Amino acid sequence: MGRGILRIYLGAAPGVGKTYAMLSEAHRRVERGTDCVVAFVEHHDRPRTEVMLHGLELLPRRELEYRGTVFTEMDVGAVLERAPAVALVDELAHTNVPGSRNAKRWQDVEELLRAGIDVISTVNIQHLESLGDVVESITGVRQRETVPDEVVRRADQIELVDMSPQALRRRMAHGNIYRPDKMDAALSNYFRPGNLTALRELALLWVADRVDEYLQQYRGEHNIRTTWQARERIVVGLTGGPEGRTLIRRASRMAAKGSGSEILAVYIARSDGLTSASPKELAVQRTLVEDLGGTFHHVIGDDIPAALLEFARGVNATQIVLGSSRRKTWQYIYGPGVGATVARESGPDLDVHIVTHEEVAKGRGLPMARGARLGRARIIWGWLVGVVGPVLLAVVLRGMEDAPGLANDVLLFLFLTVAAALLGGLRPALASAAVGSMLLNYWFTPPTHTLTVQDPENLVAIVIFFAVAVAVSSVVDLAARRTHQAARLRAESEILSFLAGSVLRGETALDALLDRVRETFAMESVALLERSSDVEPWTCAGSVGPAPVTRPDDADVDMPVGDNMALALSGRVLPAEDRRVLGAFAAQAAVVLDRQRLVGEAEQARRLAEGNRIRTALLAAVSHDLRTPLAAIKAAVSSLRSDDVAWSDEDEAELLEGIEDGADRLDHLVGNLLDMSRLQTGTVTPLIREIDLDEVVPMALGGVPEGSVDLDIPETLPMVAVDPGLLERVVANIVENAVKYNPGQEPVAVAASALGGRVELRVVDRGRGVPDEAKERIFEPFQRYGDAPRGAGVGLGLAVSRGFAEAMGGTLDAEDTPGGGLTMVLTLTAAPGGIRAEAELPARATS
């Protein structure tokens, strides 16, 4: 029995109609005669969804008791026993009640698929494991129930159920999703238009990537090599030279002209020894590509044009961007160059752009690692010139009526020997010298057609010719070797210098370092392996590339680092001369791994220390600041309940007032503690809307004595984009703090003004002020400046105020008041469309 087919309806948010679409598909299949059952569908009391269950066979659910409550889950055994052709299973990411057959519902679905049952299921984009952090940053809600991305990616069919945010909010407002008592909270929190738009974009992009995978798979299965221009994909060919940055930026501008365009930068390295590009320059270009939204790829190939075209067609690219050649004019004798070859062989489906740059025709300079390693083509030409050339020259000279003479013949043969040495190295030159000597002796030295030499002068000439040819060949070969050694040492010194610089800069990205190893040595994959002892299995501390090895014995190259760590490379066997540089990389990888772990431990220690400090301060606050008002309330209540004293009405009123004041102080302290806890855990989610300052600020002054504040809020101010509730708390805290430290001769001034796209609210007191070095410290939790009395609070008001201000996209800072005192400056964002070209000054300025 084959595996069943999985079809998933994917939605951006609850309520878009996934379950309804699934049930509609079930009705269509039942009408066609398909054996289809409902294994588990949750309609959430939505009338239209519940109606769609009519006419479908519902399998009984399994009841499970957990902590005194009975829950119902899908009965996998019943579905397997019923063995339908198609089973409907809702909410793929659901976590089953403890005691169920499997921990997760997607595991139940896997079991049904293995039994040959087709499954139709539903899932929301926010339940995908890889998107959990992204969704939390958008909505402020952490999804507890998730499903691995691979489970959804393996689905045979994925259908996006889409709905605009406005339509979904209308469905919500009409009561089609949640009950009326939950509607307002949902609309103002999770179902805000911005949240829904972002989730919808996530869903569309995820499905688009899945469609790309289907397309690539189809093209691979059908061996389709031509480009299908479904969307623009621009491949940038990099050489590791300085012109790469120009090419990347040019490709980015091209991609910006079309929506959905994609940039893929590719560096192609040969498979012999160290790569020819500067690791430092490649790292810079990789960062630039990623900053511009593209991807960087490393490909191994000895035929650069063929490898580049193969990569471009493999990713279904539509355009290739290359730089004009850096070769000098004479260097074109070695071939037409990569750009011309790619343009000639690209075919009609690939557009090739040749971009000019500042390095055109300046020469390629000394290669980094293969400075004198001759390519196969040059070696072949060297043998042809060294062996075939003398034969052809002899035929030409024999056919001439007026022979140039033996001396000139020797010079012509010597020229071919030098040419063979320049092209192919020592061996073709030696062969050319031997062949030339024999031809000179046989054809041009009397007696001809024999290998004997009659005239001693001719013998000397042939011997000198052979000696000179061997000497020139040796010198050329020695120069090539020295050039190669210099180039190699240059490559090694630059790599080691780059590694030393990374140590000094304190770089701690292990993956980036392993990627540089892979690019430097043209490997397929690199892994850093470690183990705790000789008898323990190896574990992977970091890896790059496809299918990294899990043991050093399985690698093509392994470099030990100490006793229990090794750098393992796969792709090819490295020459011995490359292992010195590899050893430096391995040592640096171990250092980076240790540094990463030390940084993690330091961060954990810092968090523990911060938590311990806050815990100590909180205990102090609970032990004193909270107990003080409680003691006052307790004393007042005990006095009122005492039968020994007959209290007058005035005394009772005073005691009740003391109880009320103590309760207010407790409420204020506990409120600040809770707000600080919300800020520490990152659960503050402001509900931003446009509002006038004069609607909020007066309401925030209810907790200060009458006449202690001078308010100046011009009516001409633009509206601000804030959360009114949070803004009221911020203003109340800073005004109450200012009134507390104001000496009382003149009221605290609260004034507002508009500055471009911002609105400033300034709270000015005439107290003793705060020194510059303490201005930031007063915003830290549990910090009170100077000799504030113990009963004055726990020091959270300003910390909470700054946290709320930043949550709304604003700032809160402290400045000196001219003439003495402290000014709190609250800066807020003006609402779009409410900003005047020239902000009017307030009617009365406060300095």
Side-chain angles (χ1 to χ4, degrees):
M1 181 180 296
R3 179 180 171 86
I5 296 175
L6 175 61
R7 177 171 184 168
I8 292 178
Y9 286 94
L10 178 68
V16 294
K18 304 179 300 300
T19 305
Y20 190 91
M22 178 178 67
L23 294 173
S24 298
E25 175 65 19
H27 279 286
R28 285 192 292 271
R29 297 197 180 199
V30 169
E31 291 173 0
R32 294 197 299 265
T34 304
D35 182 15
C36 183
V37 300
V38 176
F40 188 97
V41 168
E42 189 63 65
H43 55 73
H44 297 290
D45 296 327
R46 297 168 187 168
R48 296 187 179 181
T49 305
E50 189 174 3
V51 168
M52 293 297 293
L53 289 171
H54 297 167
L56 297 176
E57 180 183 351
L58 276 67
L59 295 182
R61 300 183 182 183
R62 183 185 179 191
E63 293 186 351
L64 296 169
E65 184 176 351
Y66 180 66
R67 293 184 178 179
T69 304
V70 176
F71 298 89
T72 60
E73 296 287 1
M74 179 176 66
D75 192 339
V76 180
V79 180
L80 294 174
E81 184 178 354
R82 170 65 173 76
V86 180
L88 273 59
V89 182
D90 205 3
E91 298 179 355
L92 185 64
H94 172 74
T95 301
N96 293 329
V97 174
S100 301
R101 185 167 180 150
N102 297 298
K104 302 286 289 187
R105 184 164 293 164
W106 64 263
Q107 295 171 329
D108 296 338
V109 169
E110 284 292 318
E111 195 169 345
L112 299 181
L113 294 173
R114 287 195 297 269
I117 301 174
D118 295 347
V119 176
I120 304 177
S121 188
T122 65
V123 71
N124 284 328
I125 192 69
Q126 66 264 28
H127 293 296
L128 295 181
E129 181 68 42
S130 65
L131 300 178
D133 295 339
V134 179
V135 173
E136 183 180 9
S137 66
I138 294 171
T139 64
V141 178
R142 181 66 179 182
Q143 298 295 331
R144 301 300 178 187
E145 295 186 329
T146 59
V147 59
D149 290 45
E150 186 59 29
V151 173
V152 183
R153 287 185 180 276
R154 285 202 306 264
D156 302 275
Q157 301 173 36
I158 299 177
E159 183 172 336
L160 178 65
V161 182
D162 191 24
M163 181 177 290
S164 69
Q166 294 78 13
L168 184 56
R169 284 173 60 84
R170 282 197 299 270
R171 288 197 65 198
M172 173 75 70
H174 293 159
N176 294 333
I177 301 177
Y178 291 149
R179 295 194 305 270
D181 58 334
K182 295 184 177 181
M183 187 187 309
D184 292 338
L187 286 172
S188 59
N189 287 281
Y190 194 89
F191 284 82
R192 286 180 289 169
N195 288 0
L196 296 177
T197 301
L199 292 173
R200 186 188 190 198
E201 183 178 12
L202 276 179
L204 291 170
L205 290 174
W206 196 91
V207 173
D209 288 341
R210 185 71 178 106
V211 171
D212 261 353
E213 292 176 11
Y214 280 135
L215 180 60
Q216 296 297 341
Q217 180 181 353
Y218 179 85
R219 286 165 52 85
E221 291 174 351
H222 293 78
N223 198 26
I224 298 174
R225 308 306 301 162
T226 58
T227 299
W228 289 0
Q229 298 187 9
R231 64 171 173 171
E232 293 292 336
R233 281 191 177 88
I234 303 173
V235 170
V236 184
L238 301 178
T239 65
E243 78 282 358
R245 306 181 202 181
T246 302
L247 303 185
I248 293 168
R249 293 189 178 98
R250 175 59 177 156
S252 176
R253 292 195 295 272
M254 294 168 58
K257 296 179 181 179
S259 178
S261 298
E262 186 178 355
I263 303 175
L264 301 94
V266 57
Y267 169 70
I268 300 174
R270 298 184 185 274
S271 60
D272 53 340
L274 296 173
T275 59
S276 60
S278 164
K280 181 177 180 181
E281 183 62 31
L282 274 181
V284 171
Q285 293 176 14
R286 173 195 289 272
T287 302
L288 178 60
V289 170
E290 293 172 350
D291 289 344
L292 294 174
T295 56
F296 184 92
H297 303 267
H298 180 262
V299 177
I300 300 172
D302 292 321
D303 188 341
I304 305 297
L308 180 61
L309 289 171
E310 181 71 17
F311 174 83
R313 294 191 174 104
V315 299
N316 199 27
T318 57
Q319 302 180 57
I320 298 178
V321 175
L322 298 173
S324 297
S325 178
R326 286 184 285 145
R327 290 181 174 185
K328 293 183 180 296
T329 304
W330 64 269
Q331 290 177 317
Y332 281 95
I333 62 174
Y334 300 128
V338 174
T341 305
V342 170
R344 183 181 68 246
E345 299 179 2
S346 62
D349 54 346
L350 269 174
D351 298 333
V352 180
H353 303 266
I354 306 296
V355 179
T356 59
H357 49 84
E358 295 179 353
E359 303 297 323
V360 173
K362 290 186 178 180
R364 301 181 67 90
L366 280 176
M368 290 297 300
R370 294 177 301 276
R373 293 183 184 178
L374 304 175
R376 182 179 302 174
R378 287 188 60 180
I379 292 176
I380 293 175
W381 276 106
W383 281 102
L384 289 175
V385 172
V387 177
V388 180
V391 175
L392 296 177
L393 178 61
V395 172
V396 172
L397 292 176
R398 290 291 296 175
M400 297 176 62
E401 295 182 0
D402 297 327
L406 181 61
N408 292 327
D409 294 341
V410 169
L411 290 177
L412 290 174
F413 278 97
L414 183 61
F415 171 77
L416 289 179
T417 301
V418 173
L422 292 173
L423 287 174
L426 180 62
R427 293 180 181 179
L430 294 177
S432 178
V435 173
S437 300
M438 295 178 62
L439 291 175
L440 283 171
N441 188 0
Y442 190 82
W443 290 100
F444 303 103
T445 304
T448 59
H449 305 293
T450 65
L451 295 179
T452 59
V453 179
Q454 184 176 359
D455 191 344
E457 295 182 357
N458 293 337
L459 179 61
V460 171
I462 293 175
V463 170
I464 292 176
F465 161 76
F466 186 80
V468 170
V470 172
V472 169
S473 303
S474 300
V475 169
V476 171
D477 183 70
L478 181 62
R481 291 177 181 274
R482 293 290 184 265
T483 301
H484 168 62
Q485 292 174 0
R488 178 170 191 83
L489 290 174
R490 175 185 169 190
E492 292 183 4
S493 64
E494 182 167 347
I495 291 171
L496 295 175
S497 173
F498 180 74
L499 283 176
S502 67
V503 173
L504 295 176
R505 291 189 298 270
E507 295 181 358
T508 57
L510 180 61
D511 289 346
L513 179 64
L514 296 181
D515 232 349
R516 292 192 186 104
V517 175
R518 176 168 167 258
E519 292 169 3
T520 301
F521 297 99
M523 288 293 183
E524 294 179 359
S525 64
V526 179
L528 182 62
L529 307 176
E530 63 175 349
R531 60 183 177 181
S532 56
S533 65
D534 294 341
V535 297
E536 295 293 329
W538 290 94
T539 60
C540 182
S543 64
V544 294
V549 298
T550 57
R551 297 188 310 159
D553 296 340
D554 299 333
D556 294 316
V557 181
D558 70 284
M559 175 60 64
V561 188
D563 295 331
N564 298 313
M565 187 176 292
L567 191 65
L569 293 79
S570 299
R572 62 188 179 86
V573 177
L574 280 182
E577 56 188 1
D578 284 353
R579 293 186 65 88
R580 182 172 66 253
V581 178
L582 180 60
F585 270 113
Q588 175 66 0
V591 171
V592 168
L593 180 61
D594 289 341
R595 184 181 294 135
Q596 277 186 348
R597 289 172 175 170
L598 288 174
V599 169
E601 292 174 1
E603 178 64 19
Q604 185 178 5
R606 187 195 64 79
R607 291 179 181 177
L608 290 175
E610 178 68 15
N612 189 53
R613 186 185 69 82
I614 293 178
R615 187 181 301 109
T616 302
L618 181 59
L619 288 174
V622 171
S623 64
H624 186 282
D625 296 288
L626 294 182
R627 291 180 63 184
T628 299
L630 279 175
I633 293 172
K634 175 67 174 176
V637 172
S638 299
S639 299
L640 288 174
R641 295 189 61 185
S642 175
D643 297 332
D644 299 336
V645 181
W647 302 102
S648 64
D649 293 341
E650 293 79 5
D651 293 335
E652 287 186 359
E654 184 177 353
L655 290 172
L656 290 173
E657 184 179 356
I659 294 173
E660 185 177 9
D661 290 342
D664 290 340
R665 287 178 59 190
L666 274 178
D667 179 66
H668 181 72
L669 291 173
V670 172
N672 277 338
L673 287 172
L674 293 177
D675 289 338
M676 197 66 233
S677 175
R678 292 169 59 199
L679 288 171
Q680 292 285 344
T681 56
T683 56
V684 176
T685 305
L687 304 178
I688 304 298
R689 66 183 181 91
E690 299 177 5
I691 195 169
D692 287 316
L693 271 182
D694 55 10
E695 295 182 26
V696 179
V697 175
M699 299 174 59
L701 307 182
V704 298
E706 187 175 352
S708 60
V709 175
D710 183 10
L711 188 61
D712 182 19
I713 306 293
E715 296 181 357
T716 55
L717 281 178
M719 302 177 74
V720 292
V722 296
D723 183 313
L726 295 185
L727 178 60
E728 183 179 344
R729 292 293 306 278
V730 172
V731 175
N733 279 347
I734 58 179
V735 170
E736 289 174 10
N737 192 71
V739 170
K740 182 191 306 179
Y741 290 98
N742 200 49
Q745 287 81 1
E746 55 183 292
V748 171
V750 179
S753 60
L755 299 172
R758 313 287 287 177
V759 174
E760 280 190 358
L761 182 71
R762 307 177 76 87
V763 180
V764 184
D765 68 59
R766 294 293 178 177
R768 57 178 178 166
V770 176
D772 291 340
E773 62 271 13
K775 282 188 172 64
E776 284 300 312
R777 195 166 65 246
I778 63 176
F779 291 103
E780 296 179 4
F782 302 104
Q783 295 292 322
R784 291 177 295 186
Y785 177 68
D787 57 351
R790 291 297 300 171
V794 294
L796 287 175
L798 292 181
V800 170
S801 297
R802 172 172 276 190
F804 283 173
E806 292 176 350
M808 295 185 292
T811 59
L812 178 62
D813 298 294
E815 298 178 357
D816 290 328
T817 301
L822 189 68
T823 298
M824 289 290 179
V825 183
L826 175 62
T827 306
L828 304 170
T829 304
I835 303 174
R836 297 184 302 278
E838 294 183 1
E840 299 180 13
L841 294 175
R844 182 172 71 258
T846 302
S847 62

